[in-house]
Amino acid sequence: MIRAFMDYGALATKAKALYGKRLRQEDYTRIAALHSVAEVGEYLRGHPAWAAAARRLSGSAFVGRIELELALREQLRSDYLSICHFVPRRDRALMEFPVLLHEQRAILYTLRRLQAGQAMDAPRYNGLGRLDWKALCSCSDWEGLAAAAADTIYAPALRRLSPPDGGLPDYTAAEVLLHSVYFSHMYRIIHRNYTGETQRVLLRSYGEQIDLLNLIHILRLKAFFPQMRDYLPLLFPFNYRLRPELIRALCAASDVDGVFTLLQGTPYAGTFAHNGVAEVEESYRRVFYTFNRRQLVSGPPSIYAAAAYLNLKELELQVLVGVVEAVKYGVPCDLTLARLMGA
């Protein structure tokens, strides 16, 4: 324990200090009551969690949803770089996870853009990671996309996806494969570099993510594609608490109600209790939030303090962007998760 405090005490303190600046319940309520994106930007300019992002927009002739979201993501990047100053060298491979996820999102966004036949409408990416960002933004075909990602962990998977006719691969297949590459990469790092309690927490974090994402995929397929029979190619080939035989049984269930019935005998029995398919992703985010907050606030000092903070900050950003969209379009906003996170 003393060694943990020596190695990670400053890191944990920094992460908790940053987390203490988060948006609170009253902030979300006030933001949701605003009338324009510009007003949201002005409100955030006075809040310690996002003030730096909002200040980047000062003097802009037009502040729209895209401009604000880009500024908020740049703030997330700054927080990441700030906390990485406290990360020991031996943990840097693990702490690349936000960059790897950012690269993955960029690749998938570009695939959607190519499938829609659209040009890049704005510079959306920063220079972190091994992607050739300039080439990615300007590419006009799959070959160009794969070349832009040639130095990333996703390069072998992208080569496997290359259609023989020179067209574009199926988006769903690409998404599942790139997520699987990411999870495999992180599992290798965890098993190679960590032992004891730290390894247990890391494995639980990634394991529960995979289990819950697989459950979400199964429920959505049952609800919206009931004619499908072979779900396994669309699931991540990993398991934590859901054993392979249970996964097969869930896939074979006759309908959504059958899936929920089978879940009653699992550790996730209460996760989706009384929820329909429309609410399962919200349930996933709530579980993800609760686990990471507990680890950051109450867990012993470890590298997961930094990971937990970055996960919580990303989740806060997602919720904030949802509120901003509601303000932009003048529609009611469900603040249930926002209030939980702002407690």
Side-chain angles (χ1 to χ4, degrees):
M1 182 63 72
I2 294 176
R3 180 59 184 269
F5 275 101
M6 291 175 60
D7 291 345
Y8 299 106
L11 174 64
T13 300
K14 175 67 173 180
K16 290 177 182 178
L18 289 171
Y19 181 63
K21 298 177 181 180
R22 68 191 180 280
L23 293 169
R24 304 289 181 162
Q25 294 183 18
E26 58 270 22
D27 294 310
Y28 288 112
T29 301
R30 290 170 183 168
I31 292 170
L34 298 176
H35 300 93
S36 69
V37 175
E39 288 184 6
V40 176
E42 186 60 29
Y43 182 90
L44 294 176
R45 199 151 65 104
H47 195 281
W50 299 102
R55 282 197 296 268
R56 292 188 181 93
L57 298 172
S58 298
S60 298
F62 173 76
V63 177
R65 180 186 61 82
I66 292 176
E67 289 78 13
L68 180 57
E69 183 177 346
L70 289 173
L72 295 176
R73 286 218 163 269
E74 184 62 25
Q75 178 62 43
L76 187 61
R77 176 181 182 270
S78 296
D79 280 11
Y80 170 72
L81 293 174
S82 174
I83 208 164
C84 279
H85 285 301
F86 295 85
V87 172
R89 182 179 297 275
R90 62 180 174 275
D91 296 302
R92 290 181 184 175
L94 179 80
M95 287 303 296
E96 285 188 342
F97 80 92
V99 177
L100 299 176
L101 288 172
H102 188 53
E103 290 180 333
Q104 182 189 108
R105 285 191 293 265
I107 291 168
L108 292 172
Y109 172 86
T110 304
L111 176 56
R112 291 197 302 272
R113 171 175 69 83
L114 294 176
Q115 290 175 333
Q118 297 176 347
M120 179 63 72
D121 55 0
R124 295 175 180 268
Y125 311 127
N126 59 47
L128 293 177
R130 298 176 181 85
L131 267 175
D132 184 335
W133 299 97
K134 183 177 179 180
L136 190 75
C137 291
S138 62
C139 71
S140 58
D141 55 24
W142 179 252
E143 184 179 349
L145 188 159
D151 294 328
T152 71
I153 65 169
Y154 305 107
L158 295 177
R159 288 195 293 270
R160 286 170 52 193
L161 286 168
S162 296
D165 60 0
L168 296 171
D170 176 74
Y171 180 85
T172 301
E175 183 179 34
V176 171
L177 184 56
L178 294 190
H179 273 86
S180 296
V181 168
Y182 167 75
F183 286 130
S184 294
H185 178 80
M186 297 309 300
Y187 271 137
R188 283 194 296 272
I189 291 172
I190 292 168
H191 284 293
R192 183 177 66 236
N193 296 349
Y194 299 95
T195 59
E197 180 65 12
T198 299
Q199 185 188 76
R200 187 192 68 80
V201 170
L202 287 166
L203 290 175
R204 180 180 174 185
S205 172
Y206 282 95
E208 289 190 350
Q209 285 184 63
I210 292 168
D211 279 353
L212 293 174
L213 288 172
N214 276 338
L215 286 175
I216 289 172
H217 291 164
I218 292 170
L219 286 166
R220 286 179 172 169
L221 289 167
K222 291 291 181 187
F224 304 117
F225 301 96
Q227 72 281 4
M228 286 188 62
R229 291 294 177 264
D230 188 9
Y231 293 178
L232 292 179
L234 300 179
L235 303 180
F236 303 128
F238 312 97
N239 60 78
Y240 181 60
R241 291 178 170 174
L242 299 180
R243 310 317 301 170
E245 56 271 19
L246 178 57
I247 289 288
R248 289 192 291 270
L250 292 166
C251 291
S254 58
D255 53 25
V256 168
D257 288 339
V259 174
F260 280 124
T261 298
L262 286 171
L263 285 178
Q264 295 313 302
T266 75
Y268 302 111
T271 302
F272 302 127
H274 308 299
N275 285 349
V277 174
E279 289 79 34
V280 293
E281 187 166 346
E282 197 74 359
S283 297
Y284 164 74
R285 295 204 293 174
R286 186 171 60 250
V287 170
F288 189 64
Y289 160 77
T290 302
F291 175 79
N292 281 281
R293 187 182 189 281
R294 184 185 304 119
Q295 293 301 320
L296 176 59
V297 174
S298 306
S302 75
I303 188 57
Y304 199 79
Y309 168 72
L310 292 169
N311 285 332
L312 291 168
K313 189 70 172 183
E314 173 67 33
L315 192 55
E316 181 178 345
L317 174 59
Q318 293 175 15
V319 172
L320 179 55
V321 167
V323 177
V324 171
E325 289 180 346
V327 170
K328 174 179 172 60
Y329 296 109
V331 298
C333 181
D334 183 357
L335 294 176
T336 304
L337 183 60
R339 293 192 181 103
L340 173 66
M341 292 176 57

